[in-house]
mmCIF file of all heavy atoms in Angstrom:
data_model
loop_
_atom_site.group_PDB
_atom_site.id
_atom_site.type_symbol
_atom_site.label_atom_id
_atom_site.label_comp_id
_atom_site.label_asym_id
_atom_site.label_seq_id
_atom_site.Cartn_x
_atom_site.Cartn_y
_atom_site.Cartn_z
ATOM 1 N N LEU A 528 21.457 -26.734 44.076
ATOM 2 C CA LEU A 528 21.899 -28.074 43.706
ATOM 3 C C LEU A 528 21.046 -28.704 42.601
ATOM 4 O O LEU A 528 20.972 -29.930 42.481
ATOM 5 C CB LEU A 528 21.890 -28.984 44.940
ATOM 6 C CG LEU A 528 22.800 -28.542 46.082
ATOM 7 C CD1 LEU A 528 22.716 -29.526 47.238
ATOM 8 C CD2 LEU A 528 24.246 -28.369 45.623
ATOM 9 N N LYS A 529 20.435 -27.894 41.767
ATOM 10 C CA LYS A 529 19.584 -28.404 40.705
ATOM 11 C C LYS A 529 20.303 -29.389 39.776
ATOM 12 O O LYS A 529 19.677 -30.353 39.310
ATOM 13 C CB LYS A 529 19.024 -27.222 39.895
ATOM 14 C CG LYS A 529 17.985 -27.630 38.844
ATOM 15 C CD LYS A 529 16.742 -28.212 39.489
ATOM 16 C CE LYS A 529 15.696 -28.542 38.437
ATOM 17 N NZ LYS A 529 14.537 -29.268 39.013
ATOM 18 N N PRO A 530 21.592 -29.232 39.467
ATOM 19 C CA PRO A 530 22.235 -30.178 38.547
ATOM 20 C C PRO A 530 22.367 -31.609 39.081
ATOM 21 O O PRO A 530 22.613 -32.536 38.298
ATOM 22 C CB PRO A 530 23.623 -29.561 38.318
ATOM 23 C CG PRO A 530 23.470 -28.115 38.633
ATOM 24 C CD PRO A 530 22.478 -28.078 39.757
ATOM 25 N N ILE A 531 22.221 -31.811 40.382
ATOM 26 C CA ILE A 531 22.445 -33.137 40.957
ATOM 27 C C ILE A 531 21.223 -34.027 40.734
ATOM 28 O O ILE A 531 20.077 -33.588 40.883
ATOM 29 C CB ILE A 531 22.774 -33.028 42.453
ATOM 30 C CG1 ILE A 531 24.115 -32.310 42.629
ATOM 31 C CG2 ILE A 531 22.817 -34.407 43.110
ATOM 32 C CD1 ILE A 531 24.535 -32.129 44.061
ATOM 33 N N ARG A 532 21.466 -35.282 40.415
ATOM 34 C CA ARG A 532 20.401 -36.266 40.203
ATOM 35 C C ARG A 532 20.138 -37.007 41.518
ATOM 36 O O ARG A 532 20.709 -38.058 41.779
ATOM 37 C CB ARG A 532 20.777 -37.259 39.105
ATOM 38 C CG ARG A 532 20.863 -36.650 37.719
ATOM 39 C CD ARG A 532 20.947 -37.760 36.676
ATOM 40 N NE ARG A 532 22.186 -38.521 36.776
ATOM 41 C CZ ARG A 532 22.308 -39.803 36.455
ATOM 42 N NH1 ARG A 532 21.262 -40.509 36.056
ATOM 43 N NH2 ARG A 532 23.488 -40.404 36.545
ATOM 44 N N PHE A 533 19.270 -36.452 42.348
ATOM 45 C CA PHE A 533 18.967 -37.066 43.636
ATOM 46 C C PHE A 533 18.017 -38.253 43.464
ATOM 47 O O PHE A 533 17.088 -38.214 42.659
ATOM 48 C CB PHE A 533 18.339 -36.044 44.577
ATOM 49 C CG PHE A 533 19.314 -35.053 45.151
ATOM 50 C CD1 PHE A 533 19.270 -33.714 44.790
ATOM 51 C CD2 PHE A 533 20.277 -35.469 46.065
ATOM 52 C CE1 PHE A 533 20.166 -32.795 45.316
ATOM 53 C CE2 PHE A 533 21.177 -34.555 46.612
ATOM 54 C CZ PHE A 533 21.125 -33.221 46.231
ATOM 55 N N VAL A 534 18.273 -39.292 44.255
ATOM 56 C CA VAL A 534 17.448 -40.504 44.180
ATOM 57 C C VAL A 534 16.858 -40.885 45.535
ATOM 58 O O VAL A 534 16.190 -41.916 45.654
ATOM 59 C CB VAL A 534 18.263 -41.692 43.611
ATOM 60 C CG1 VAL A 534 18.559 -41.469 42.144
ATOM 61 C CG2 VAL A 534 19.558 -41.913 44.400
ATOM 62 N N GLY A 535 17.071 -40.072 46.557
ATOM 63 C CA GLY A 535 16.504 -40.346 47.872
ATOM 64 C C GLY A 535 17.065 -39.402 48.908
ATOM 65 O O GLY A 535 18.086 -38.741 48.691
ATOM 66 N N MET A 536 16.381 -39.346 50.043
ATOM 67 C CA MET A 536 16.775 -38.397 51.090
ATOM 68 C C MET A 536 16.320 -38.885 52.453
ATOM 69 O O MET A 536 15.304 -39.589 52.563
ATOM 70 C CB MET A 536 16.145 -37.025 50.831
ATOM 71 C CG MET A 536 16.452 -35.981 51.902
ATOM 72 S SD MET A 536 15.292 -34.613 51.930
ATOM 73 C CE MET A 536 16.024 -33.617 53.255
ATOM 74 N N ASP A 537 17.045 -38.494 53.482
ATOM 75 C CA ASP A 537 16.522 -38.589 54.841
ATOM 76 C C ASP A 537 16.918 -37.346 55.616
ATOM 77 O O ASP A 537 17.892 -36.665 55.286
ATOM 78 C CB ASP A 537 17.004 -39.860 55.565
ATOM 79 C CG ASP A 537 18.518 -39.951 55.736
ATOM 80 O OD1 ASP A 537 19.117 -39.035 56.330
ATOM 81 O OD2 ASP A 537 19.101 -40.951 55.279
ATOM 82 N N VAL A 538 16.122 -37.029 56.630
ATOM 83 C CA VAL A 538 16.481 -36.010 57.615
ATOM 84 C C VAL A 538 16.352 -36.684 58.975
ATOM 85 O O VAL A 538 15.346 -37.343 59.256
ATOM 86 C CB VAL A 538 15.599 -34.749 57.499
ATOM 87 C CG1 VAL A 538 14.125 -35.045 57.706
ATOM 88 C CG2 VAL A 538 16.063 -33.667 58.464
ATOM 89 N N VAL A 539 17.403 -36.573 59.788
ATOM 90 C CA VAL A 539 17.488 -37.403 60.987
ATOM 91 C C VAL A 539 17.903 -36.595 62.213
ATOM 92 O O VAL A 539 18.316 -35.446 62.106
ATOM 93 C CB VAL A 539 18.507 -38.560 60.780
ATOM 94 C CG1 VAL A 539 18.043 -39.497 59.684
ATOM 95 C CG2 VAL A 539 19.908 -38.012 60.471
ATOM 96 N N GLU A 540 17.793 -37.262 63.363
ATOM 97 C CA GLU A 540 18.292 -36.781 64.660
ATOM 98 C C GLU A 540 17.496 -35.625 65.260
ATOM 99 O O GLU A 540 18.020 -34.869 66.084
ATOM 100 C CB GLU A 540 19.784 -36.437 64.572
ATOM 101 C CG GLU A 540 20.681 -37.618 64.232
ATOM 102 C CD GLU A 540 20.808 -38.660 65.333
ATOM 103 O OE1 GLU A 540 20.385 -38.386 66.470
ATOM 104 O OE2 GLU A 540 21.339 -39.759 65.048
ATOM 105 N N VAL A 541 16.223 -35.486 64.875
ATOM 106 C CA VAL A 541 15.351 -34.530 65.554
ATOM 107 C C VAL A 541 14.835 -35.183 66.832
ATOM 108 O O VAL A 541 14.213 -36.251 66.796
ATOM 109 C CB VAL A 541 14.171 -34.117 64.663
ATOM 110 C CG1 VAL A 541 13.172 -33.266 65.452
ATOM 111 C CG2 VAL A 541 14.667 -33.356 63.446
ATOM 112 N N SER A 542 15.116 -34.559 67.960
ATOM 113 C CA SER A 542 14.708 -35.081 69.264
ATOM 114 C C SER A 542 13.847 -34.023 69.960
ATOM 115 O O SER A 542 14.357 -33.119 70.628
ATOM 116 C CB SER A 542 15.954 -35.414 70.101
ATOM 117 O OG SER A 542 15.628 -36.184 71.220
ATOM 118 N N PRO A 543 12.531 -34.108 69.788
ATOM 119 C CA PRO A 543 11.638 -33.008 70.195
ATOM 120 C C PRO A 543 11.678 -32.649 71.673
ATOM 121 O O PRO A 543 11.371 -31.507 72.032
ATOM 122 C CB PRO A 543 10.250 -33.539 69.800
ATOM 123 C CG PRO A 543 10.504 -34.570 68.769
ATOM 124 C CD PRO A 543 11.808 -35.196 69.122
ATOM 125 N N ALA A 544 12.048 -33.586 72.531
ATOM 126 C CA ALA A 544 12.059 -33.272 73.967
ATOM 127 C C ALA A 544 13.024 -32.147 74.312
ATOM 128 O O ALA A 544 12.872 -31.482 75.337
ATOM 129 C CB ALA A 544 12.420 -34.520 74.773
ATOM 130 N N TYR A 545 14.009 -31.910 73.453
ATOM 131 C CA TYR A 545 15.007 -30.864 73.700
ATOM 132 C C TYR A 545 14.787 -29.647 72.803
ATOM 133 O O TYR A 545 15.616 -28.737 72.777
ATOM 134 C CB TYR A 545 16.421 -31.428 73.481
ATOM 135 C CG TYR A 545 16.635 -32.715 74.222
ATOM 136 C CD1 TYR A 545 16.654 -33.931 73.544
ATOM 137 C CD2 TYR A 545 16.778 -32.726 75.614
ATOM 138 C CE1 TYR A 545 16.817 -35.122 74.237
ATOM 139 C CE2 TYR A 545 16.938 -33.909 76.305
ATOM 140 C CZ TYR A 545 16.959 -35.110 75.614
ATOM 141 O OH TYR A 545 17.109 -36.288 76.298
ATOM 142 N N ASP A 546 13.668 -29.637 72.087
ATOM 143 C CA ASP A 546 13.409 -28.557 71.149
ATOM 144 C C ASP A 546 12.845 -27.336 71.875
ATOM 145 O O ASP A 546 12.405 -27.415 73.027
ATOM 146 C CB ASP A 546 12.427 -29.021 70.063
ATOM 147 C CG ASP A 546 12.567 -28.257 68.755
ATOM 148 O OD1 ASP A 546 13.416 -27.334 68.690
ATOM 149 O OD2 ASP A 546 11.853 -28.591 67.793
ATOM 150 N N VAL A 547 12.857 -26.203 71.182
ATOM 151 C CA VAL A 547 12.305 -24.955 71.693
ATOM 152 C C VAL A 547 11.360 -24.397 70.636
ATOM 153 O O VAL A 547 11.771 -24.132 69.499
ATOM 154 C CB VAL A 547 13.412 -23.919 71.987
ATOM 155 C CG1 VAL A 547 12.796 -22.596 72.441
ATOM 156 C CG2 VAL A 547 14.388 -24.453 73.030
#
Side-chain angles (χ1 to χ4, degrees):
L528 300 181
K529 187 64 177 173
I531 294 179
R532 293 192 294 150
F533 285 112
V534 290
M536 178 201 182
D537 61 57
V538 60
V539 296
E540 298 290 348
V541 172
S542 193
Y545 310 105
D546 206 358
V547 177

